[in-house]
Amino acid sequence: MIGRGQPAAPEAAAPEAAEAPEGDAPEAPDGRRLRWTEHRAQRRAAFVDAGVEAIDRFGDNASAEQIAEVAGVSRTVLYRYFRDREDLRQAIADQVVRAVLTSVQPKLALTSETTPRQIITAAVGEIAGWLDEHPNLYHFLRSRRSGASLDSVEGTLADNVATLLKAVMVLLGIDSEAADPGAYGLVGFVEAAGAWWLEHRTMSRARFVDLVSNGVWHVLNGTAHDFGIVLGYDEPLPFGAIIGQESPS
């Protein structure tokens, strides 16, 4: 599932006392020092995954004790890999952001057969699916309006949408300057609608995706009509093949 970490293996092979304090790499040749650094990075990553799992399970205010429980270690061992609570929660936010972006960005890719409905519903559906399955992680990101947070997700997705819209507009002979505000507006619209849906749940996920996708389509189609261009919601985009050829491999 998107952004869902797996609990780290319990501390069975080595006792907690064997864990060195953060920053205290043993005096050793470069090879051993490198292995120690890699070990610490792997352990920290496993604890971050446990943090994602704990928040997904217990809520956006999951405690360090709950995260340590999921990781199979004590709170003391957990904090040997993080400066403080904020460092831990920021690392968790970074991981969730990466997971969301990794899942959504491929849905924005165009091919010669792509229709507007396909690309819009795929992207909106992926976002709605993540919101539906991971509401605690979403609320966790919403509570962090600094650093890597929901702003990072929205901004990065909007940058991708803007790049896509600019390519489309240039190929259609439309001024690409309108792409940036349009892209950020569309991403904000989807997120705001998703927040409302999570709170009220007055319709099914499929119905929500359909309505929001139609809203996105009307904005895009209206912009095209302003420039005298007619697009079909279920017709392949005529410039898909060109975009596919020009996209970096």
Side-chain angles (χ1 to χ4, degrees):
M1 290 185 181
I2 305 169
R4 191 176 180 86
Q6 296 299 321
E11 293 290 302
E16 293 178 4
E19 298 279 358
E22 184 174 356
D24 288 354
E27 293 297 330
D30 290 343
R32 289 182 59 190
R33 187 179 296 276
L34 176 60
R35 287 193 295 273
W36 175 258
T37 300
E38 291 175 346
H39 166 75
R40 287 192 59 79
Q42 291 170 359
R43 294 284 283 152
R44 179 181 168 101
F47 292 154
V48 169
D49 285 344
V52 173
E53 176 70 21
I55 290 173
D56 206 22
R57 185 189 305 177
F58 300 115
D60 58 307
N61 286 316
S63 67
E65 287 78 9
Q66 289 171 318
I67 295 173
E69 177 185 350
V70 172
V73 299
S74 70
R75 183 177 184 274
T76 300
V77 170
L78 177 69
Y79 272 125
R80 286 174 182 165
Y81 292 82
F82 302 91
R83 291 188 302 274
D84 49 29
R85 180 178 184 274
E86 176 58 25
D87 185 34
L88 170 60
R89 293 178 74 81
Q90 185 61 55
I92 294 170
D94 290 342
Q95 175 69 0
V96 174
V97 166
R98 284 192 295 268
V100 175
L101 294 177
T102 297
S103 68
V104 177
Q105 284 176 315
K107 305 300 181 181
L108 299 175
L110 289 178
T111 70
S112 60
E113 301 301 319
T114 301
T115 67
R117 185 189 298 273
Q118 288 172 341
I119 193 170
I120 294 171
T121 57
V124 173
E126 191 71 22
I127 293 171
W130 184 80
L131 291 172
D132 193 17
E133 296 166 16
H134 305 280
N136 288 335
L137 293 176
Y138 170 72
H139 291 304
F140 173 70
L141 289 185
R142 285 202 74 178
S143 70
R144 302 185 59 80
R145 287 291 181 176
S146 63
S149 63
L150 193 62
D151 288 338
S152 298
V153 176
E154 294 175 355
T156 305
L157 288 180
D159 288 342
N160 279 264
V161 172
T163 298
L164 178 64
L165 290 181
K166 283 180 179 178
V168 169
M169 290 176 173
V170 168
L171 289 170
L172 292 176
I174 300 175
D175 182 5
S176 65
E177 185 181 43
D180 285 324
Y184 278 84
L186 288 175
V187 172
F189 161 61
V190 174
E191 193 273 325
W196 170 86
W197 178 62
L198 276 183
E199 180 179 356
H200 298 282
R201 299 282 192 170
T202 57
M203 63 185 69
S204 68
R205 186 163 103 187
R207 178 61 173 162
F208 170 78
V209 170
D210 185 54
L211 288 175
V212 172
S213 297
N214 284 339
V216 172
W217 162 244
H218 287 312
V219 172
L220 296 177
N221 191 39
T223 301
H225 274 279
D226 286 344
F227 288 88
I229 297 169
V230 178
L231 298 175
Y233 198 16
D234 294 301
E235 296 178 4
L237 296 167
F239 35 76
I242 299 176
I243 292 178
Q245 294 170 5
E246 294 185 348
S247 297
S249 56

